[in-house]
Amino acid sequence: MKSAVIVFPGSNCDRDMASAIESVSGRAPEMVWHRDSDLPAGVDFIAIPGGFSYGDYLRSGAMAARSPIIAVVREAAERGTPVLGVCNGFQILTETGLLPGALMRNKSMHFTCRDAALRVENARSVFTHGYDEGETIHVPVAHHDGNYQTDADVLDRIEGEGQVAFRYLDDINGSARGIAGILNAKGNVLGMMPHPERAIEKAHGNMDGRRLFEGLFEKVF
Amino acid sequence: MKARVTITLKNGVLDPQGKAIHHALEGLGFSGVEDVRAGKVIELDLAEGASEDDVDAMCRKLLANTVIENYAIEMVD
């Protein structure tokens, strides 16, 4: 089994993500620089970490979404490789079009850094089957642009198809219908604003994020 | 030749920045504003031979996110 973490200039949760992957899977991921035009051979899981790629210039995730490595990530996603984007990684996935919608400035205009209570809406995907449907979990958020928006038709469609993976129990950032994380139609791409890689060990305060990686690695490896 | 690209949020898309500006104006005593929408202007200094079509492609590929934004191109001599 092999994982890859994509690193952009301005990524700052790449090492947290690597540490979480290693802690759960027992094997450190390959760190892949954004200018690379290939993934290491045999990668079974790709993580796009949080941070502020390219300083959030133009729009959060906009520049990173056009980098050479993302074209390869897109091909892997289309072949069915699981791809997880957290925070800035979620923003990048929407900018690439692998996930619908867009992440806009928080309704409050403030950077929000706190624990968020989430309801697991879909516990059938490779990422979420370690949870129970309807279960409440706690995962930290830390973002300025986490306000998920898209038009009503797309919202109805993704709700109807079970693509909403996680929903905030409180209004954290103004997201349409409280959406905190969404899957693509095939269910192998997950984008979420909360940081599961920051809820891995006892010292983090809770270990609810660990179960996402445990469930995923059980399915993938 | 220069191109000026004006990027605005689509109608109906919540604009927290515009709302904050509106509140700030009200706080300063300007009561005559119904709504504020914030956007951005990008000026491109074009190389010889670059056309409006090229700028349009740039807008679609990078400069605007057409999920939430509209753009308008103005070619300036």
Side-chain angles (χ1 to χ4, degrees):
Chain A
M1 52 131 278
K2 200 185 275 184
S3 317
V5 175
I6 312 295
V7 185
F8 297 95
S11 294
N12 66 4
C13 303
D14 45 329
R15 282 177 288 175
D16 300 35
M17 182 64 81
S19 161
I21 291 170
E22 185 170 3
S23 164
V24 178
S25 74
R27 185 166 166 187
E30 306 264 349
M31 306 304 278
V32 180
W33 186 234
H34 68 117
R35 279 189 190 279
D36 289 358
S37 49
D38 257 323
L39 288 161
V43 162
D44 321 275
F45 165 58
I46 301 163
I48 307 180
F52 299 86
S53 57
Y54 297 88
D56 278 352
Y57 293 165
L58 192 63
R59 297 176 305 276
S60 300
M63 311 285 194
R66 278 79 184 171
S67 59
I69 195 66
I70 287 295
V72 189
V73 170
R74 176 197 298 278
E75 286 168 16
E78 281 162 3
R79 285 196 306 272
T81 305
V83 177
L84 169 67
V86 170
C87 199
N88 190 219
F90 185 12
Q91 295 159 345
I92 293 167
L93 288 172
T94 58
E95 279 282 342
T96 61
L98 279 170
L99 292 173
L103 291 142
M104 305 192 55
R105 183 56 35 109
N106 293 347
K107 193 173 70 178
S108 65
M109 296 294 286
H110 295 296
F111 189 94
T112 300
C113 182
R114 52 172 285 195
D115 257 337
L118 309 178
R119 186 166 60 236
V120 179
E121 296 288 351
N122 174 340
R124 302 176 305 282
S125 75
V126 285
F127 300 99
T128 55
H129 75 103
Y131 301 113
D132 296 322
E133 207 139 299
E135 182 184 354
T136 299
I137 60 171
H138 293 86
V139 183
V141 293
H143 60 246
H144 211 164
D145 295 324
N147 179 355
Y148 182 78
Q149 296 295 329
T150 184
D151 60 52
D153 290 347
V154 175
L155 286 170
D156 288 342
R157 194 188 76 224
I158 62 177
E159 297 248 28
E161 301 287 320
Q163 286 177 244
V164 177
F166 301 107
R167 210 186 298 271
Y168 302 111
L169 291 187
D170 308 314
D171 185 3
I172 295 284
N173 50 31
S175 284
R177 302 190 193 174
I179 289 172
I182 55 170
L183 295 153
N184 66 343
K186 270 200 320 200
N188 68 308
V189 178
L190 171 65
M192 61 192 291
M193 290 312 296
H195 288 268
E197 80 282 10
R198 295 187 189 177
I200 298 291
E201 295 164 22
K202 259 196 192 136
H204 290 157
N206 86 70
M207 296 168 67
D208 284 348
R210 188 176 188 92
R211 290 158 61 200
L212 184 149
F213 293 96
E214 284 172 346
L216 174 69
F217 295 155
E218 188 187 303
K219 286 268 189 199
V220 174
F221 301 144
Chain B
M1 179 76 95
K2 285 181 194 256
R4 185 176 296 131
V5 178
T6 306
I7 296 163
T8 50
L9 285 173
K10 286 184 175 174
N11 282 336
V13 174
L14 183 79
D15 178 10
Q17 197 181 340
K19 279 213 157 43
I21 295 167
H22 192 184
H23 286 151
L25 286 172
E26 286 175 338
L28 291 170
F30 294 106
S31 57
V33 181
E34 294 282 0
D35 194 21
V36 178
R37 307 282 285 170
K40 60 189 111 171
V41 171
I42 298 175
E43 285 186 338
L44 306 171
D45 208 342
L46 296 177
E48 193 75 20
S51 68
E52 185 165 348
D53 283 351
D54 296 328
V55 178
D56 193 71
M58 294 174 206
C59 288
R60 279 181 281 112
K61 191 139 193 215
L62 177 67
L63 301 181
N65 178 346
T66 54
V67 173
I68 46 169
E69 294 170 329
N70 292 323
Y71 62 88
I73 300 165
E74 191 190 341
M75 302 298 277
V76 192
D77 278 325

